[in-house]
């Protein structure tokens, strides 16, 4: 497929939208306490403001990826920017937590439009031999957004109020939509006249929401509770109904043949387990720096930078290597380094010198930087062009699933090893410095739990190593 547009300009256009979505996730976290106080929201309400966005994104990205294969990527991507900006404006204007939750659902719809298209647009635009570099640069922007989000959020909340963390999306969204309209090529598919399986999309949405809700809330509800069982049962039943339908309709939402492509399936699963390993560690790092080491929230954010900075430095290099030598070797090596990083992090404690912690975090981030771009490149290059939209949506789905599973895994394993009291609330955390007995009890429990999570994530990461190595060489896909 040939376009007159400069492919690097297309990358810039796509990156603006993806950057906005990534920053929005991390920028909000720092504003949640202020939002709870000013809107008089309960903790459950605040959790649903976060959950509504996550559930919406996970449930919608596969369907929207498929829709982009039919209606065109540019149209859907620009619509996503407009809807996401609208949701941001509604969120900033919310006078109650219920209105904010509704606005977050609108944001999720727009974010799913954007996220489900990103990698498909890049794969359609860049020829083989150049995609790895493009994916690497995309990884830089995603990691950069994750890195600056907390710092930017703290500045905006302090000086302009919590509404500013949403209002900042409006100028970014306007610029991104204008650039997309001017630059993005009208990428079309030979599936333009195919109908969309809306019934299948609805079944998949309910299934994914049920499964994600079960995974996310199980540490709180209890893995054997009735609520957790109902969520999982709903997800399994609707997912079975979805699979049955997909084998019977002429134009399925997700073609079952995609899951017979070894490189596609292995890359998706390896990416999910790599993301799980990342999130299970990052989930605990704020408690390590603030609770165990006594640093402020701002300093803790800075001390976590080695991970995204290492990803940003390594992603373009690994992407370029994968263009020349293929994805399997460099991606598998990256996962081995991630596993090494987990082991190194399991050896830290309350008295470990800060530089010793930082270089271990850098090793962990370097491994992810080596893995992400080649893996994304291999996954997207393994499918026919007319299926890249749904492949891009599934790539986002597996990444979000890894994020949610990582929080559930990290929280469950930590609480089992250390006890729930080791994850301190802010009020108790502020007493640690003045209460030696409380600190000593917290220190021992936290170190045990942190070590168990890191060592527990290692087998999952090594399983991802096996998946990555076993993917084989990416074959040029048939267009049928």
């Amino acid at each position: 497929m040939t376009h007159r547009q400069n492919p690097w300009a297309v990358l810039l256009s796509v990156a603006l939208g993806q950057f906005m979505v990534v920053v929005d996730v991390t920028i909000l976290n720092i504003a949640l306490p202020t939002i709870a106080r000013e809107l008089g929201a309960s903790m459950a309400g605040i959790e649903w403001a976060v959950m509504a966005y996550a559930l919406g994104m996970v449930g919608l990205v596969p369907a929207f990826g498929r829709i982009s294969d039919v209606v065109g990527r540019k149209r859907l991507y620009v619509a996503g920017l407009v809807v996401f900006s609208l949701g941001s404006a509604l969120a900033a204007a919310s006078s109650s937590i219920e209105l904010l939750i509704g606005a977050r659902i609108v944001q999720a719809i727009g974010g799913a439009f954007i996220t489900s298209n990103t990698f498909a647009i890049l794969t359609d635009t860049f020829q083989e031999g150049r995609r790895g570099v493009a994916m690497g640069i995309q990884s830089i922007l995603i990691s950069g957004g994750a890195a600056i989000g907390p710092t930017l959020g703290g500045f905006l909340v302090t000086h302009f109020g919590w509404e500013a963390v949403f209002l900042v999306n409006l100028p970014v969204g306007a610029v991104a939509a204008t650039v997309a309209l001017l630059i993005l090529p009208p990428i079309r598919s030979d599936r333009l006249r195919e109908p969309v399986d809306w019934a299948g999309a609805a079944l998949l949405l309910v299934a994914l929401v049920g499964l994600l809700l079960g995974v996310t809330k199980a540490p709180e509800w209890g893995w054997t509770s009735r609520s957790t069982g109902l969520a999982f049962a709903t997800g399994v039943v609707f997912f079975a109904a979805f699979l049955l339908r997909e084998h019977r309709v002429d134009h399925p939402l997700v073609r079952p043949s995609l899951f017979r492509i070894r490189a596609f399936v292995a890359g998706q699963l390896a990416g999910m387990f790599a993301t799980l390993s990342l999130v299970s560690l990052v989930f605990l790092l704020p408690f390590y720096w603030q609770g165990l080491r006594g640093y402020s929230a701002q300093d803790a954010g800075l001390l976590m930078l080695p991970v995204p900075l290492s990803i940003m430095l390594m992603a373009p290099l690994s992407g370029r290597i994968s263009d020349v030598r293929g994805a399997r070797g460099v991606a598998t090596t990256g996962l081995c380094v991630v596993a090494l990083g987990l082991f190194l992090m399991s050896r830290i404690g309350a008295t470990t010198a800060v530089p010793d912690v930082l270089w271990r975090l850098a090793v962990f981030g370097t491994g992810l930087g080596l893995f992400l771009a080649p893996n994304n490149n291999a996954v997207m290059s393994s499918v026919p062009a007319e299926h890249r939209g749904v492949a891009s949506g599934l790539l986002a789905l597996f990444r979000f699933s890894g994020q949610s599973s990582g929080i559930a895994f990290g929280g469950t394993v930590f609480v089992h090893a250390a006890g729930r009291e080791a994850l301190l609330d802010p009020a108790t955390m502020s007493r640690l410095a003045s209460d030696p007995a409380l600190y000593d009890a917290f220190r021992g429990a936290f170190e045990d739990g942190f070590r168990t999570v890191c060592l527990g994530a290692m087998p999952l990461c090594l399983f991802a190593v096996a998946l990555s190595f076993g993917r084989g060489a990416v074959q040029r896909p048939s267009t049928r």
Side-chain angles (χ1 to χ4, degrees):
M1 186 176 295
T2 304
H3 305 296
R4 293 183 179 179
Q5 286 84 349
N6 185 327
W8 300 107
V10 173
L11 173 60
L12 171 64
S13 175
V14 171
L16 282 173
Q18 187 69 45
F19 184 80
M20 178 176 66
V21 172
V22 172
V23 169
D24 185 77
V25 174
T26 56
I27 201 175
L28 176 64
N29 292 337
I30 202 73
L32 291 177
T34 304
I35 292 173
R37 183 174 64 254
E38 296 194 8
L39 294 184
S42 65
M43 181 57 67
I46 289 296
E47 287 180 354
W48 276 106
V50 176
M51 287 283 294
Y53 183 82
L55 293 172
M57 287 281 281
V58 169
L60 295 173
V61 285
F64 288 171
R66 168 66 179 87
I67 292 169
S68 80
D69 285 332
V70 176
V71 307
R73 314 210 196 287
K74 178 176 181 177
R75 187 183 304 175
L76 210 66
Y77 182 77
V78 173
L81 294 169
V82 173
V83 173
F84 191 87
S85 299
L86 173 63
S88 300
L90 293 173
S94 297
S95 57
S96 68
I97 192 62
E98 291 79 15
L99 291 175
L100 180 61
I101 292 171
R104 292 287 285 166
I105 294 174
V106 176
Q107 276 192 306
I109 295 172
F113 275 132
I114 296 168
T115 302
S116 62
N117 268 287
T118 299
F119 289 109
I121 292 173
L122 292 180
T123 307
D124 285 336
T125 301
F126 285 84
Q127 298 178 348
E128 289 188 33
R130 304 176 73 186
R131 287 178 189 155
V133 174
M135 298 289 184
I137 294 174
Q138 184 73 2
S139 297
I140 287 179
L141 294 165
I142 293 175
S143 302
I148 71 169
T151 302
L152 178 61
F155 173 82
L156 292 174
V157 171
T158 301
H159 296 283
F160 302 102
W162 65 266
E163 296 88 350
V165 303
F166 297 108
L167 292 175
V168 72
N169 292 328
L170 301 186
V172 177
V175 171
T178 302
V179 171
L181 286 170
L182 295 175
I183 290 178
L184 288 187
I187 301 171
R188 296 185 180 276
S189 167
D190 59 8
R191 305 177 76 187
L192 189 63
R193 298 184 182 278
E194 289 186 9
V196 176
D197 180 18
W198 295 109
L203 290 172
L204 183 59
L205 173 63
V206 177
L208 292 174
V209 168
L211 292 172
L212 179 64
L213 188 63
V215 168
T216 305
K217 300 296 287 184
E220 175 186 338
W221 292 343
W223 287 95
T224 59
S225 70
R226 180 177 299 179
S227 297
T228 301
L230 179 61
F232 280 127
T234 300
V236 170
V237 169
F238 276 82
F239 191 69
F242 168 75
L243 292 178
L244 185 64
R245 178 177 176 81
E246 295 305 277
H247 281 87
R248 293 184 173 183
V249 297
D250 293 331
H251 302 289
L253 186 73
V254 181
R255 290 194 178 276
S257 59
L258 287 178
F259 295 95
R260 292 195 291 269
I261 302 173
R262 185 172 65 173
F264 177 77
V265 175
Q268 296 278 23
L269 291 174
M272 184 182 74
F273 283 111
T275 303
L276 187 155
S277 300
L278 167 66
V279 173
S280 63
L281 174 63
V282 171
F283 168 69
L284 293 175
L285 283 176
F287 295 95
Y288 172 81
W289 287 120
Q290 295 181 63
L292 198 64
R293 304 300 294 263
Y295 288 97
S296 67
Q298 179 174 321
D299 289 341
L302 293 174
L303 290 167
M304 292 171 64
L305 282 177
V307 174
L309 290 179
S310 298
I311 295 174
M312 292 169 65
L313 289 172
M314 294 305 301
L317 174 61
S318 65
R320 179 57 184 154
I321 294 173
S322 73
D323 282 335
V324 177
R325 296 184 173 274
R328 181 170 68 167
V330 64
T332 303
T333 300
L335 287 172
C336 291
V337 176
V338 171
L340 173 62
L342 286 169
F343 174 76
L344 293 172
M345 288 300 296
S346 74
R347 315 309 296 172
I348 68 172
T351 59
T352 306
V354 170
D356 282 345
V357 179
L358 297 183
W359 73 259
R360 293 164 195 256
L361 287 173
V363 170
F364 183 82
T366 297
L368 286 168
L370 285 171
F371 168 76
L372 291 173
N375 187 68
N376 293 339
N377 184 11
V379 168
M380 294 304 301
S381 298
S382 68
V383 300
E386 64 269 22
H387 297 299
R388 285 174 182 161
V390 72
S392 180
L394 289 171
L395 194 62
L397 168 63
F398 276 83
R399 185 174 72 249
F400 292 139
S401 299
Q403 292 172 352
S404 301
S405 301
I407 294 174
F409 173 84
T412 301
V413 172
F414 183 89
V415 169
H416 178 75
R420 185 171 298 276
E421 62 276 4
L423 286 177
L424 298 176
D425 60 82
T428 306
M429 195 176 293
S430 65
R431 293 171 41 212
L432 289 176
S434 58
D435 190 336
L438 178 63
Y439 177 80
D440 288 341
F442 168 75
R443 172 182 171 175
F446 187 92
E447 288 180 338
D448 288 343
F450 189 88
R451 183 181 307 111
T452 303
V453 170
C454 290
L455 295 177
M458 281 186 63
L460 300 177
C461 190
L462 292 174
F463 180 60
V465 169
L467 289 168
S468 181
F469 184 77
R471 79 176 79 207
V474 176
Q475 303 295 324
R476 184 182 295 274
S478 168
T479 58
R480 290 189 172 276

